[in-house]
Amino acid sequence: MAKNFDVVVIGAGPGGYIAAIRAAQLGLSVACVDAWSDQDGKAAPGGTCTNVGCIPSKALLQSSEHYEQAEKHFEDHGIKVKGLELKLDTLLGRKDKVVKENNQGILFLFKKNKVTFFHGTASFQAKVDAGWSIRVDGKEAEDLIAKHVVVATGSSARELPGVPFDEELILSNDGALRLKDVPKKLGVIGAGVIGLELGSVWRRLGAEVTIFEGAPEFLAAADRDVAKEAFSALTKQGLDIQLGVKVDEVETSGKKVKVEYKDASDKEHKAEFDRLIVSIGRVPNTAGLGAETVGLKLDERGFIEVDDDCLTNLPNVWAVGDVVRGPMLAHKAEDEGVAVAERIAGQQPHVNFDTIPWVIYTSPEMAWVGKTEQELKKEGRDYRAGKFPFMANGRARALGNTTGFVKILADAKTDEVLGVHIVGPTASELIAEAVVIMEFRGAAEDIARICHAHPTLSEAMKEAALAVDKRALNF
């Protein structure tokens, strides 16, 4: 007999599990279905983010940074290390523990908020009088009836044409997070977030890393000043980042990966690696959803078509996160999930795509929100810029990490903050102040007049705001 719910959420990644919890908080009966399993076959909610994305990559970035600090920088602090040894199995075990804690945390939150969880694969069966019939295929098959359905099935790594992932030699983000040894030579195709972060992890642990990027510019979406500073820092650390590369052929031979490519001047090259990470984007997970069964409309790339409220072409069927338009970011999915739950409950929430922050967790970190300087120039917008280097920040000096800067762009007439761009220590945390000020349509002067604790890295934000008016105090 079918079980009835006000809301059935398909997918328990950041968009899905948050949508389920918020809907339950609003008094709706909610079920969440997710197929992800751990190595023991147990439910592992959290989606790509928790299992093979945001969370494990940050755990490895943290561990690898500790290793590199001990290896290269502790002596700067008067700490001499003898007999430094990398225990990769312990490092990876810590990462797995962090992931499992997050999985269990989500299951706890479901129980706390009275969300019914089903471990299995969900698909649309039919439109029925009471809503939508959903089939769950798992250890035990279930039939659910939902008044509303929220699709949050996420995305998967895009393969190179004709070069499938084997997760042994040709790696997606999944395989790149669980290598059993440090490759001597590691190739990476794609200098985006995943390529740079995972390339950084394995470089710190001893790999010789080459990154091939097809675009002629490094991080084209970022402000040019940020991209230039980051490129300089990352290449000095040892990442070999080659731009304007066209990969012609990839083949495996024995335990090696051979890559034939042309550089920016169209000169042909051959390279051989022990492993190759492919990070050329992601594709939406809509296969097996039963979209064609009920007429759920997809675009030519497989994304579910939605309106500004995340409503699909079907009544009471919603979609959020990586499976719809917009940036593939966990926090964007979460905001959409909350908004959809509140719309189902009759509220009128709003998600502002103009203030969604972007972060790359390399060292230095990069974070930005709003317009870049090149975008403002293209629009013909009259603006002022204020920039403050971490080199002039007392806390950054004390940390021994003075790479980078904070840059604030403000309207020349109203002083409204239009964009903030940070490259440097804890940029991922500092960007939150910029998001808040922009959400309230605040001015650079508002940041400049706020008292920031001393000595902190956040003072760089205040100084950059002062610099917009050409009155920085410490530079």
Side-chain angles (χ1 to χ4, degrees), residues 210-264:
T210 302
I211 301 179
F212 300 122
E213 170 56 46
E217 289 186 325
F218 181 64
L219 293 176
D223 187 272
R224 286 299 83 204
D225 285 348
V226 167
K228 183 179 178 181
E229 182 83 357
F231 185 86
S232 175
L234 294 172
T235 52
K236 283 180 181 178
Q237 290 168 10
L239 288 179
D240 178 11
I241 304 172
Q242 301 187 27
L243 304 175
V245 170
K246 180 184 177 184
V247 175
D248 292 322
E249 188 174 347
V250 174
E251 64 175 17
T252 59
S253 177
K255 293 185 178 181
K256 299 290 183 180
V257 184
K258 297 180 180 180
V259 179
E260 295 183 11
Y261 65 98
K262 294 185 182 73
D263 63 21

Short mmCIF file of all heavy atoms in Angstrom, two decimals, residues 210-264:
data_model
loop_
_atom_site.label_atom_id
_atom_site.label_comp_id
_atom_site.label_asym_id
_atom_site.label_seq_id
_atom_site.Cartn_x
_atom_site.Cartn_y
_atom_site.Cartn_z
N THR A 210 50.72 18.56 -13.33
CA THR A 210 50.55 19.38 -14.52
C THR A 210 49.05 19.54 -14.77
O THR A 210 48.31 18.55 -14.82
CB THR A 210 51.19 18.74 -15.76
OG1 THR A 210 52.58 18.54 -15.51
CG2 THR A 210 51.02 19.62 -16.99
N ILE A 211 48.61 20.78 -14.93
CA ILE A 211 47.19 21.07 -15.16
C ILE A 211 47.01 21.65 -16.56
O ILE A 211 47.64 22.66 -16.91
CB ILE A 211 46.61 22.04 -14.11
CG1 ILE A 211 46.77 21.45 -12.70
CG2 ILE A 211 45.15 22.35 -14.40
CD1 ILE A 211 46.25 22.35 -11.59
N PHE A 212 46.17 21.01 -17.37
CA PHE A 212 45.85 21.49 -18.71
C PHE A 212 44.51 22.22 -18.69
O PHE A 212 43.50 21.66 -18.26
CB PHE A 212 45.77 20.33 -19.70
CG PHE A 212 47.04 19.53 -19.82
CD1 PHE A 212 47.05 18.17 -19.56
CD2 PHE A 212 48.22 20.13 -20.22
CE1 PHE A 212 48.20 17.42 -19.68
CE2 PHE A 212 49.39 19.40 -20.35
CZ PHE A 212 49.39 18.03 -20.08
N GLU A 213 44.50 23.45 -19.16
CA GLU A 213 43.28 24.24 -19.22
C GLU A 213 43.04 24.69 -20.65
O GLU A 213 43.93 25.26 -21.29
CB GLU A 213 43.38 25.45 -18.29
CG GLU A 213 42.27 26.47 -18.44
CD GLU A 213 40.87 25.90 -18.26
OE1 GLU A 213 40.66 25.13 -17.29
OE2 GLU A 213 39.99 26.19 -19.09
N GLY A 214 41.83 24.43 -21.15
CA GLY A 214 41.52 24.78 -22.53
C GLY A 214 41.35 26.27 -22.77
O GLY A 214 41.66 26.76 -23.86
N ALA A 215 40.88 27.01 -21.77
CA ALA A 215 40.66 28.44 -21.94
C ALA A 215 41.99 29.18 -22.02
O ALA A 215 42.97 28.78 -21.39
CB ALA A 215 39.83 28.99 -20.79
N PRO A 216 42.03 30.26 -22.77
CA PRO A 216 43.28 31.03 -22.88
C PRO A 216 43.60 31.83 -21.63
O PRO A 216 44.73 32.26 -21.41
CB PRO A 216 43.02 31.95 -24.08
CG PRO A 216 41.53 32.10 -24.12
CD PRO A 216 40.98 30.79 -23.65
N GLU A 217 42.59 32.07 -20.79
CA GLU A 217 42.77 32.82 -19.54
C GLU A 217 42.62 31.90 -18.34
O GLU A 217 41.83 30.96 -18.37
CB GLU A 217 41.76 33.96 -19.43
CG GLU A 217 41.98 35.12 -20.37
CD GLU A 217 41.02 36.26 -20.08
OE1 GLU A 217 39.85 35.97 -19.71
OE2 GLU A 217 41.39 37.43 -20.22
N PHE A 218 43.33 32.20 -17.29
CA PHE A 218 43.20 31.47 -16.05
C PHE A 218 42.01 32.01 -15.26
O PHE A 218 41.88 33.21 -15.05
CB PHE A 218 44.48 31.62 -15.23
CG PHE A 218 44.48 30.88 -13.91
CD1 PHE A 218 44.41 29.50 -13.87
CD2 PHE A 218 44.54 31.58 -12.71
CE1 PHE A 218 44.41 28.81 -12.67
CE2 PHE A 218 44.56 30.91 -11.50
CZ PHE A 218 44.49 29.52 -11.48
N LEU A 219 41.10 31.11 -14.85
CA LEU A 219 39.91 31.48 -14.08
C LEU A 219 39.20 32.68 -14.70
O LEU A 219 39.10 33.76 -14.11
CB LEU A 219 40.28 31.78 -12.62
CG LEU A 219 40.76 30.59 -11.79
CD1 LEU A 219 41.17 31.05 -10.39
CD2 LEU A 219 39.66 29.54 -11.67
N ALA A 220 38.68 32.47 -15.89
CA ALA A 220 38.05 33.56 -16.65
C ALA A 220 36.88 34.20 -15.91
O ALA A 220 36.58 35.37 -16.11
CB ALA A 220 37.58 33.03 -18.00
N ALA A 221 36.21 33.44 -15.03
CA ALA A 221 35.05 33.98 -14.32
C ALA A 221 35.45 34.90 -13.17
O ALA A 221 34.63 35.68 -12.68
CB ALA A 221 34.19 32.84 -13.78
N ALA A 222 36.70 34.82 -12.73
CA ALA A 222 37.15 35.62 -11.60
C ALA A 222 37.61 37.00 -12.05
O ALA A 222 37.90 37.23 -13.23
CB ALA A 222 38.29 34.90 -10.88
N ASP A 223 37.69 37.91 -11.10
CA ASP A 223 38.27 39.21 -11.38
C ASP A 223 39.71 39.01 -11.84
O ASP A 223 40.44 38.17 -11.31
CB ASP A 223 38.23 40.08 -10.11
CG ASP A 223 38.66 41.50 -10.36
OD1 ASP A 223 39.88 41.78 -10.27
OD2 ASP A 223 37.79 42.34 -10.64
N ARG A 224 40.14 39.79 -12.83
CA ARG A 224 41.47 39.58 -13.42
C ARG A 224 42.59 39.74 -12.40
O ARG A 224 43.62 39.05 -12.46
CB ARG A 224 41.69 40.56 -14.57
CG ARG A 224 40.94 40.25 -15.85
CD ARG A 224 41.31 38.89 -16.45
NE ARG A 224 40.56 37.80 -15.83
CZ ARG A 224 40.94 36.55 -15.78
NH1 ARG A 224 42.09 36.19 -16.28
NH2 ARG A 224 40.20 35.63 -15.22
N ASP A 225 42.44 40.67 -11.47
CA ASP A 225 43.48 40.86 -10.45
C ASP A 225 43.60 39.62 -9.56
O ASP A 225 44.71 39.21 -9.20
CB ASP A 225 43.16 42.08 -9.58
CG ASP A 225 43.45 43.39 -10.29
OD1 ASP A 225 44.09 43.36 -11.36
OD2 ASP A 225 43.03 44.44 -9.77
N VAL A 226 42.46 39.03 -9.19
CA VAL A 226 42.46 37.81 -8.38
C VAL A 226 43.12 36.67 -9.15
O VAL A 226 43.96 35.94 -8.63
CB VAL A 226 41.03 37.44 -7.95
CG1 VAL A 226 40.98 36.02 -7.37
CG2 VAL A 226 40.50 38.44 -6.94
N ALA A 227 42.70 36.50 -10.41
CA ALA A 227 43.23 35.41 -11.22
C ALA A 227 44.74 35.54 -11.39
O ALA A 227 45.48 34.55 -11.29
CB ALA A 227 42.54 35.39 -12.58
N LYS A 228 45.22 36.76 -11.63
CA LYS A 228 46.66 36.99 -11.82
C LYS A 228 47.44 36.66 -10.56
O LYS A 228 48.48 35.99 -10.60
CB LYS A 228 46.89 38.45 -12.22
CG LYS A 228 48.34 38.79 -12.51
CD LYS A 228 48.49 40.26 -12.92
CE LYS A 228 49.96 40.60 -13.16
NZ LYS A 228 50.11 42.04 -13.55
N GLU A 229 46.93 37.12 -9.41
CA GLU A 229 47.61 36.85 -8.14
C GLU A 229 47.62 35.37 -7.81
O GLU A 229 48.64 34.81 -7.38
CB GLU A 229 46.90 37.62 -7.01
CG GLU A 229 47.53 37.48 -5.63
CD GLU A 229 48.69 38.43 -5.41
OE1 GLU A 229 49.06 39.18 -6.35
OE2 GLU A 229 49.25 38.42 -4.30
N ALA A 230 46.48 34.71 -8.03
CA ALA A 230 46.37 33.28 -7.73
C ALA A 230 47.26 32.46 -8.65
O ALA A 230 47.94 31.52 -8.21
CB ALA A 230 44.92 32.83 -7.85
N PHE A 231 47.29 32.80 -9.91
CA PHE A 231 48.13 32.07 -10.87
C PHE A 231 49.60 32.16 -10.47
O PHE A 231 50.33 31.16 -10.47
CB PHE A 231 47.94 32.63 -12.28
CG PHE A 231 48.68 31.87 -13.34
CD1 PHE A 231 48.11 30.75 -13.93
CD2 PHE A 231 49.95 32.26 -13.76
CE1 PHE A 231 48.78 30.04 -14.91
CE2 PHE A 231 50.63 31.55 -14.74
CZ PHE A 231 50.05 30.44 -15.31
N SER A 232 50.02 33.34 -10.09
CA SER A 232 51.40 33.55 -9.67
C SER A 232 51.73 32.71 -8.44
O SER A 232 52.76 32.03 -8.39
CB SER A 232 51.65 35.04 -9.38
OG SER A 232 52.95 35.24 -8.86
N ALA A 233 50.83 32.74 -7.46
CA ALA A 233 51.07 32.00 -6.21
C ALA A 233 51.08 30.50 -6.43
O ALA A 233 51.95 29.79 -5.93
CB ALA A 233 50.01 32.38 -5.18
N LEU A 234 50.12 29.99 -7.18
CA LEU A 234 49.99 28.54 -7.38
C LEU A 234 51.13 27.98 -8.21
O LEU A 234 51.61 26.87 -7.97
CB LEU A 234 48.64 28.22 -8.03
CG LEU A 234 47.41 28.50 -7.16
CD1 LEU A 234 46.13 28.34 -7.98
CD2 LEU A 234 47.38 27.61 -5.94
N THR A 235 51.58 28.74 -9.22
CA THR A 235 52.69 28.25 -10.04
C THR A 235 54.01 28.30 -9.26
O THR A 235 54.87 27.43 -9.42
CB THR A 235 52.81 29.05 -11.35
OG1 THR A 235 52.85 30.45 -11.06
CG2 THR A 235 51.63 28.77 -12.25
N LYS A 236 54.17 29.29 -8.39
CA LYS A 236 55.36 29.35 -7.55
C LYS A 236 55.42 28.16 -6.60
O LYS A 236 56.49 27.67 -6.26
CB LYS A 236 55.38 30.66 -6.75
CG LYS A 236 55.81 31.87 -7.55
CD LYS A 236 55.80 33.12 -6.70
CE LYS A 236 56.20 34.35 -7.53
NZ LYS A 236 56.15 35.60 -6.72
N GLN A 237 54.25 27.70 -6.18
CA GLN A 237 54.19 26.54 -5.29
C GLN A 237 54.59 25.25 -6.01
O GLN A 237 54.95 24.27 -5.37
CB GLN A 237 52.78 26.38 -4.73
CG GLN A 237 52.38 27.45 -3.74
CD GLN A 237 50.89 27.42 -3.43
OE1 GLN A 237 50.17 26.49 -3.80
NE2 GLN A 237 50.41 28.44 -2.75
N GLY A 238 54.49 25.24 -7.33
CA GLY A 238 54.90 24.06 -8.08
C GLY A 238 53.87 23.48 -9.02
O GLY A 238 54.16 22.53 -9.75
N LEU A 239 52.66 24.04 -9.06
CA LEU A 239 51.68 23.58 -10.04
C LEU A 239 52.08 24.09 -11.42
O LEU A 239 52.31 25.29 -11.60
CB LEU A 239 50.28 24.09 -9.70
CG LEU A 239 49.55 23.47 -8.50
CD1 LEU A 239 48.19 24.14 -8.32
CD2 LEU A 239 49.39 21.97 -8.67
N ASP A 240 52.17 23.18 -12.38
CA ASP A 240 52.46 23.55 -13.77
C ASP A 240 51.12 23.72 -14.48
O ASP A 240 50.48 22.74 -14.88
CB ASP A 240 53.30 22.46 -14.43
CG ASP A 240 53.61 22.75 -15.90
OD1 ASP A 240 53.34 23.89 -16.35
OD2 ASP A 240 54.07 21.84 -16.60
N ILE A 241 50.66 24.96 -14.60
CA ILE A 241 49.35 25.25 -15.19
C ILE A 241 49.55 25.75 -16.62
O ILE A 241 50.13 26.81 -16.84
CB ILE A 241 48.59 26.30 -14.36
CG1 ILE A 241 48.46 25.85 -12.91
CG2 ILE A 241 47.21 26.56 -14.97
CD1 ILE A 241 47.89 26.90 -11.98
N GLN A 242 49.07 24.97 -17.59
CA GLN A 242 49.23 25.31 -19.00
C GLN A 242 47.88 25.74 -19.57
O GLN A 242 46.90 24.99 -19.49
CB GLN A 242 49.79 24.12 -19.77
CG GLN A 242 51.16 23.66 -19.24
CD GLN A 242 51.78 22.60 -20.12
OE1 GLN A 242 51.52 22.52 -21.32
NE2 GLN A 242 52.63 21.75 -19.53
N LEU A 243 47.83 26.93 -20.14
CA LEU A 243 46.59 27.51 -20.64
C LEU A 243 46.49 27.37 -22.16
O LEU A 243 47.49 27.22 -22.85
CB LEU A 243 46.51 28.99 -20.25
CG LEU A 243 46.63 29.30 -18.75
CD1 LEU A 243 46.67 30.80 -18.52
CD2 LEU A 243 45.50 28.66 -17.97
N GLY A 244 45.25 27.42 -22.66
CA GLY A 244 45.02 27.35 -24.10
C GLY A 244 45.36 26.00 -24.70
O GLY A 244 45.73 25.90 -25.87
N VAL A 245 45.21 24.95 -23.90
CA VAL A 245 45.59 23.61 -24.32
C VAL A 245 44.40 22.89 -24.96
O VAL A 245 43.28 22.94 -24.44
CB VAL A 245 46.11 22.79 -23.13
CG1 VAL A 245 46.28 21.31 -23.50
CG2 VAL A 245 47.42 23.36 -22.62
N LYS A 246 44.66 22.20 -26.06
CA LYS A 246 43.65 21.34 -26.68
C LYS A 246 44.13 19.90 -26.55
O LYS A 246 45.15 19.50 -27.11
CB LYS A 246 43.45 21.69 -28.14
CG LYS A 246 42.40 20.81 -28.82
CD LYS A 246 42.29 21.10 -30.31
CE LYS A 246 41.27 20.16 -30.97
NZ LYS A 246 41.21 20.36 -32.43
N VAL A 247 43.38 19.10 -25.77
CA VAL A 247 43.73 17.69 -25.60
C VAL A 247 43.19 16.90 -26.79
O VAL A 247 41.98 16.89 -27.05
CB VAL A 247 43.16 17.13 -24.28
CG1 VAL A 247 43.43 15.64 -24.16
CG2 VAL A 247 43.77 17.87 -23.09
N ASP A 248 44.08 16.24 -27.53
CA ASP A 248 43.69 15.50 -28.72
C ASP A 248 43.38 14.03 -28.43
O ASP A 248 42.45 13.46 -28.98
CB ASP A 248 44.79 15.58 -29.78
CG ASP A 248 44.96 16.97 -30.33
OD1 ASP A 248 43.94 17.66 -30.51
OD2 ASP A 248 46.11 17.38 -30.59
N GLU A 249 44.17 13.43 -27.54
CA GLU A 249 43.99 12.00 -27.29
C GLU A 249 44.46 11.63 -25.90
O GLU A 249 45.47 12.14 -25.41
CB GLU A 249 44.76 11.17 -28.34
CG GLU A 249 44.46 9.68 -28.27
CD GLU A 249 45.12 8.90 -29.40
OE1 GLU A 249 45.60 9.53 -30.36
OE2 GLU A 249 45.15 7.65 -29.31
N VAL A 250 43.70 10.75 -25.27
CA VAL A 250 44.08 10.19 -23.97
C VAL A 250 43.94 8.68 -24.06
O VAL A 250 42.91 8.16 -24.47
CB VAL A 250 43.16 10.72 -22.84
CG1 VAL A 250 43.49 10.01 -21.52
CG2 VAL A 250 43.30 12.22 -22.68
N GLU A 251 45.00 7.98 -23.70
CA GLU A 251 44.92 6.52 -23.71
C GLU A 251 45.73 5.95 -22.55
O GLU A 251 46.71 6.55 -22.09
CB GLU A 251 45.40 5.94 -25.03
CG GLU A 251 46.87 6.19 -25.33
CD GLU A 251 47.34 5.49 -26.60
OE1 GLU A 251 46.47 5.08 -27.41
OE2 GLU A 251 48.56 5.35 -26.78
N THR A 252 45.27 4.83 -22.05
CA THR A 252 45.99 4.14 -20.98
C THR A 252 46.83 3.02 -21.57
O THR A 252 46.41 2.35 -22.52
CB THR A 252 45.01 3.58 -19.94
OG1 THR A 252 44.11 2.66 -20.58
CG2 THR A 252 44.20 4.69 -19.28
N SER A 253 48.00 2.84 -20.98
CA SER A 253 48.90 1.78 -21.43
C SER A 253 49.60 1.23 -20.19
O SER A 253 50.41 1.91 -19.57
CB SER A 253 49.93 2.33 -22.42
OG SER A 253 50.85 1.32 -22.81
N GLY A 254 49.23 -0.01 -19.83
CA GLY A 254 49.79 -0.58 -18.62
C GLY A 254 49.31 0.20 -17.41
O GLY A 254 48.11 0.33 -17.18
N LYS A 255 50.24 0.77 -16.67
CA LYS A 255 49.88 1.56 -15.50
C LYS A 255 50.15 3.05 -15.72
O LYS A 255 50.34 3.81 -14.77
CB LYS A 255 50.65 1.06 -14.27
CG LYS A 255 50.25 -0.35 -13.84
CD LYS A 255 50.96 -0.74 -12.56
CE LYS A 255 50.51 -2.13 -12.10
NZ LYS A 255 51.16 -2.55 -10.83
N LYS A 256 50.13 3.46 -16.99
CA LYS A 256 50.39 4.85 -17.34
C LYS A 256 49.25 5.42 -18.16
O LYS A 256 48.49 4.69 -18.79
CB LYS A 256 51.69 4.97 -18.13
CG LYS A 256 52.94 4.49 -17.40
CD LYS A 256 53.32 5.42 -16.25
CE LYS A 256 54.60 4.95 -15.57
NZ LYS A 256 55.00 5.84 -14.46
N VAL A 257 49.15 6.75 -18.14
CA VAL A 257 48.18 7.46 -18.97
C VAL A 257 48.96 8.37 -19.90
O VAL A 257 49.77 9.19 -19.46
CB VAL A 257 47.21 8.31 -18.13
CG1 VAL A 257 46.16 8.95 -19.04
CG2 VAL A 257 46.54 7.48 -17.06
N LYS A 258 48.72 8.22 -21.21
CA LYS A 258 49.40 9.03 -22.20
C LYS A 258 48.45 10.08 -22.75
O LYS A 258 47.32 9.77 -23.11
CB LYS A 258 49.94 8.15 -23.32
CG LYS A 258 51.00 7.15 -22.84
CD LYS A 258 51.51 6.28 -23.99
CE LYS A 258 52.57 5.30 -23.49
NZ LYS A 258 53.08 4.43 -24.57
N VAL A 259 48.93 11.32 -22.80
CA VAL A 259 48.10 12.44 -23.27
C VAL A 259 48.81 13.13 -24.43
O VAL A 259 49.98 13.52 -24.31
CB VAL A 259 47.85 13.46 -22.14
CG1 VAL A 259 47.01 14.63 -22.66
CG2 VAL A 259 47.17 12.80 -20.95
N GLU A 260 48.12 13.26 -25.53
CA GLU A 260 48.61 14.03 -26.66
C GLU A 260 47.81 15.33 -26.71
O GLU A 260 46.58 15.32 -26.64
CB GLU A 260 48.45 13.26 -27.97
CG GLU A 260 49.30 11.99 -28.04
CD GLU A 260 49.17 11.29 -29.38
OE1 GLU A 260 48.60 11.89 -30.32
OE2 GLU A 260 49.65 10.14 -29.50
N TYR A 261 48.52 16.46 -26.83
CA TYR A 261 47.83 17.74 -26.79
C TYR A 261 48.58 18.80 -27.58
O TYR A 261 49.76 18.64 -27.91
CB TYR A 261 47.66 18.20 -25.34
CG TYR A 261 48.95 18.52 -24.61
CD1 TYR A 261 49.40 19.83 -24.50
CD2 TYR A 261 49.72 17.51 -24.04
CE1 TYR A 261 50.58 20.13 -23.84
CE2 TYR A 261 50.90 17.80 -23.37
CZ TYR A 261 51.34 19.12 -23.27
OH TYR A 261 52.51 19.41 -22.63
N LYS A 262 47.88 19.88 -27.88
CA LYS A 262 48.48 21.05 -28.53
C LYS A 262 48.47 22.20 -27.54
O LYS A 262 47.48 22.42 -26.83
CB LYS A 262 47.69 21.44 -29.79
CG LYS A 262 47.73 20.42 -30.91
CD LYS A 262 47.03 20.97 -32.14
CE LYS A 262 47.02 19.95 -33.28
NZ LYS A 262 46.07 18.84 -33.02
N ASP A 263 49.55 22.93 -27.48
CA ASP A 263 49.62 24.08 -26.58
C ASP A 263 48.96 25.31 -27.23
O ASP A 263 48.40 25.22 -28.33
CB ASP A 263 51.05 24.36 -26.14
CG ASP A 263 51.97 24.74 -27.31
OD1 ASP A 263 51.46 25.16 -28.37
OD2 ASP A 263 53.20 24.60 -27.16
N ALA A 264 49.08 26.45 -26.58
CA ALA A 264 48.40 27.66 -27.06
C ALA A 264 48.91 28.11 -28.43
O ALA A 264 48.19 28.79 -29.17
CB ALA A 264 48.58 28.78 -26.04
#
